[in-house]
Every structure is written in structure tokens, then in C-alpha cells.
Amino acid sequence: MDAATLTYDTLRFGEFEDFPETSDPVWILGKEFNALTERDDILSDVTSRLWFTYRKNFQPIGGTGPTSDTGWGCMLRCGQMILGQALVCRHLGRDWRWDKGQRQRDAYVSLLNAFIDKKDSCYSIHQIAQMGVGEGKSIGQWYGPNTVAQVLKKLAMFDRWSRQVVHVAMDNTVVIEDIKRLCMPWLDYGGACADPGGASALNGCMEGAGAMVEEEGPLWRPLVLLIPLRLGLTDINEAYIETLKQCFMLPQSLGVIGGKPNSAHYFIGYVGEELIYLDPHTTQPSVEPSDDGQVHDDTYHCQHPPCRMHICELDPSIAAGFFCKTEDEFDDWCMRIRRLSCNRGSLPMFELVESQPSHMVSVDVLNLTPDFPDSDRLERFFDSEDEEFEILSL
């Protein structure tokens, strides 16, 4: 299996296609660059993103499971990358840069340790794979964008250091009221004090609310917003292309996870008609932290020109991500999304509403499980390689 699924293990970095010299603007996670005059800045920005790939020779998942995720873990690795970018924004800032060979800040070391391939790391491949069992996914089974989003949402509840909310917006609809309840669980939507028990039930993680008030000032828990979408049937509908590009231009952008059927990528920007992405399809040895927690981190940063693909090659099943550290950033995001929806000649990818429409029924309320009678019918209605339309137990 390893020999069949390795993509870049035998390639030299010099064989990667160099970044194009073009007058088209380059957009990477909300930042604009000039490819003619800021080439080094572009590569530095890309290299500073956390790059999670296949690994081998790690601790067996579940004690007796696989010791490598080669061939099946690409979407899980992309989930790690999009969440890793959120944690970078949360603890280091969007403009943080990685310096090769330099001793890193404590926050960076703590962040990277959360993803190390060990059973006790909060966002390790072990935790994601085992949490996926609760979503009806056996260890070693391929995930879709929505499945990995739901798993990350659950794991984030155990991250007491970051204390952020991961919200997965379903049915192509982002409900502002629901998000504000989640990010301010100790308040009701109108601003009055809420019942503590009710607030705890909203996100399953009331602990630390007081700490967040002291640490952040405003009553707001940082938000990771993941929106599973389908932008066509078998191919992306060209009417969504401009809107998708605009998402990479938003300052709150975390990028997009998706790719091609059974081959996932983490898309971080675009230039012209090409998407820029980080590819997890490289198998590297697992890494063990040293006694002081420091990690030999060269292999967690992509140090060759980023991969590119024409936007029309994108599989229509994706999940877009956004990060709002403060309530003001979320309000700004809402304003920008409303402006995008007014653009002529392009279709909005999702709907933004103030409160939940009466026709929407929350799966949190229904508490449906993967073996719910209608789950197979819903999954088969779409392409069988789409994971995001199955009904999940939250």
C-alpha cells in the first residue's frame, strides 16, 4: 500500500513547479501578495502554515490499530491543517512567521504538540480516528469534509488551553443567533445573564468562562466556523467560482478542505484560475517531542513551492473555514458575507440569517445516529463518495 500511495516521497524539491511570475494578485488566507515583487513573502507565508501529512511508525491507534495513515488519512490531515491555522491565529496571530532552525515560542510548541501523533495529543490522528468511530467511521475509513468537521467540533470541547468554539453550519445556512449563543454561553442572545445549566448544555464546555472574561476582556469565545458545502453535482458549478475566490480574500479565512474524490487537499488561496494548496500525500516518519516538549519541526512546514490546480478540477464537496477571535471580527465577517451575496454574476455558497428558519430542524435536537433509517437514503441521493450528507450523531 505504501508504495502505491506515496506521492512525493521520491521527488526532489527542485522538481516541484515553481511559483508563477504573474501580474495577477495572489491571495493567501486573507492576505494579498504581488507575485512579481513579493515572491519571498509568499513562500514565507506558505511555509509558516502547519503542514500535516501522512506519517508512519507512530503508536498503534487504539492500541492495536494501524501505525500509519498512508492511503486513508488525507482528509484527517487536512482537518488538522485547517484547525491548526485557527490555533495559529488564536495564539500566535495571522502574521506570525516560522523561522527554520530557531527556537520557537512556547505557544507554538504547545500548539504543535496538540497535533503530534500520540494518543494523548488533543488533535492527533489517534484522537480524530477514534472520535470518528462515534460518527460511524471505522478506523482506516476515508472521511468526507463534514465528517472531519464534526469530529473536530467534538475534540475542541476538550481543549481547555484554546477555549474556542468549533461550530459546523449545516444545511448551507449560518445562523447568527446560534453562533452568538455558542460564543457567549453565559449570556442569552439579548445580553441578560443566562441560566448556567443552559449555557453549559449549549456547547458542553462551560468551564473557563470566567477565565475567558479576564483573558479576553469581551465576553466572546474565539470562533472556528466550518461550513460543509456542495457546489455542484459531479463538478463544481462555475457560478460559485468567484464567490469561492472571494472567501480566500476575507481576513477571517481559514481556507478550504476538499480536493478530488478520495484525495483531499488543504486549499489556502488562489492566483488567477488556480487554487493554491498544501498536499498531505507524503509519508514521513512520526516525530517524538524531546523531554522539554520541543519538537523537531522541519517536517511540519512545507519548504517547497506550494501545489496548484485549476479551480474547475475541484470536487464540489468542500468545507470552508473562518476564524473570528472577537465578536467584532464576527460582525465584520457577517457584513462582508452580506456584501458578497449582492455580487451579480455569482451565486452565494451559503445563506446567512439572523435566526434559525422555522423549516430548519437542528440535528442536535433530533440526536440522530448513523443508523437512523433515512441515513442511507440521504447518502445515496448524492454521489456515494460524498460524506457530508450523512446524518451524524452530535
Side-chain angles (χ1 to χ4, degrees):
M1 175 184 287
D2 286 4
T5 54
L6 299 189
T7 306
Y8 300 133
D9 286 11
T10 60
L11 293 181
R12 299 179 182 273
F13 286 164
E15 293 177 305
F16 283 91
E17 184 179 355
D18 210 351
F19 205 79
E21 295 184 4
T22 175
S23 58
D24 291 331
V26 178
W27 283 94
I28 297 177
L29 299 175
K31 297 287 185 180
E32 183 180 9
F33 297 94
N34 185 316
L36 299 176
T37 62
E38 298 177 296
R39 183 183 192 81
D40 290 343
D41 293 334
I42 293 172
L43 297 179
S44 174
D45 195 10
V46 172
T47 299
S48 297
R49 301 314 108 211
L50 291 176
W51 181 44
F52 296 114
T53 71
Y54 291 149
R55 295 278 172 172
K56 61 183 179 181
N57 301 327
F58 48 63
Q59 299 171 355
I61 296 177
T64 59
T67 59
S68 173
D69 61 312
T70 298
W72 59 270
C74 55
M75 183 59 78
L76 283 67
R77 297 300 185 179
C78 290
Q80 287 182 320
M81 284 191 272
I82 198 169
L83 186 63
Q85 177 59 23
L87 293 179
V88 166
C89 293
R90 166 79 173 93
H91 296 290
L92 302 172
R94 171 61 183 86
D95 294 328
W96 169 82
R97 293 294 180 267
W98 176 71
D99 294 321
K100 182 177 180 179
Q102 300 297 314
R103 185 175 179 87
Q104 304 297 334
R105 292 161 52 180
D106 289 345
Y108 167 81
V109 174
S110 297
L111 193 164
L112 189 55
N113 269 283
F115 294 91
I116 293 294
D117 299 310
K118 299 174 65 175
K119 63 180 181 180
D120 55 351
S121 296
C122 187
Y123 301 111
S124 67
I125 192 78
H126 299 66
Q127 293 285 357
I128 296 176
Q130 290 190 289
M131 187 67 77
V133 173
E135 302 293 343
K137 296 293 181 182
S138 59
I139 295 174
Q141 188 174 357
W142 200 84
Y143 285 26
N146 179 60
T147 304
V148 75
Q150 299 289 359
V151 168
L152 293 175
K153 172 184 174 181
K154 287 186 173 183
L155 291 177
M157 296 179 183
F158 300 95
D159 184 356
R160 296 180 179 178
W161 176 50
S162 299
R163 300 186 188 278
Q164 61 187 11
V165 171
V166 175
H167 177 65
V168 183
M170 300 304 294
D171 299 319
N172 297 351
T173 304
V174 177
V175 182
I176 295 174
E177 179 179 299
D178 287 352
I179 289 175
K180 294 208 171 186
R181 288 182 187 275
L182 288 170
C183 292
M184 298 182 287
W186 46 91
L187 303 176
D188 65 20
Y189 189 58
C193 292
D195 175 69
S200 178
L202 280 173
N203 204 42
C205 188
M206 183 61 186
E207 180 183 353
M212 281 301 299
V213 173
E214 295 177 3
E215 177 185 347
E216 298 294 337
L219 299 177
W220 179 268
R221 294 180 61 189
L223 169 70
V224 179
L225 175 60
L226 301 176
I227 312 174
L229 299 165
R230 187 172 182 83
L231 306 182
L233 291 177
T234 59
D235 299 300
I236 185 171
N237 185 331
E238 292 186 2
Y240 291 115
I241 288 179
E242 289 304 316
T243 309
L244 178 60
K245 288 181 178 180
Q246 292 284 331
C247 285
F248 292 108
M249 300 167 65
L250 299 176
Q252 298 87 353
S253 175
L254 291 178
V256 168
I257 55 176
K260 300 176 182 178
N262 295 330
S263 181
H265 304 313
Y266 173 40
F267 298 94
I268 58 175
Y270 79 93
V271 54
E273 296 302 312
E274 291 184 317
L275 294 174
I276 302 168
Y277 66 93
L278 297 178
D279 192 339
H281 298 88
T282 298
T283 301
Q284 305 185 88
S286 62
V287 173
E288 287 286 335
S290 59
D291 292 339
D292 62 356
Q294 291 289 323
V295 178
H296 184 70
D297 62 349
D298 283 12
T299 61
Y300 290 98
H301 296 273
C302 183
Q303 298 174 61
H304 55 73
C307 302
R308 306 189 311 278
M309 61 176 269
H310 196 282
I311 197 168
C312 290
E313 297 177 24
L314 179 68
D315 188 90
S317 299
I318 66 169
F322 304 93
F323 178 74
C324 302
K325 189 173 183 178
T326 66
E327 185 178 10
D328 285 344
E329 289 184 10
F330 177 66
D331 291 341
D332 177 76
W333 179 84
C334 292
M335 178 192 68
R336 293 172 185 271
I337 292 299
R338 290 190 178 102
R339 287 178 180 173
L340 287 181
S341 66
C342 297
N343 287 349
R344 296 183 178 181
S346 61
L347 291 177
M349 298 193 303
F350 54 87
E351 186 178 7
L352 179 66
V353 297
E354 286 290 340
S355 57
Q356 191 171 90
S358 59
H359 67 272
M360 288 181 61
V361 180
S362 171
V363 290
D364 286 315
V365 176
L366 293 178
N367 192 28
L368 302 181
T369 59
D371 58 0
F372 186 73
D374 282 344
S375 63
D376 288 340
R377 177 180 62 80
L378 287 173
E379 187 172 353
R380 295 295 179 270
F381 184 78
F382 298 96
D383 186 342
S384 62
E385 290 177 341
D386 292 343
E387 307 289 332
E388 66 268 36
F389 292 96
E390 67 184 281
I391 300 178
L392 301 174
S393 174
L394 301 182

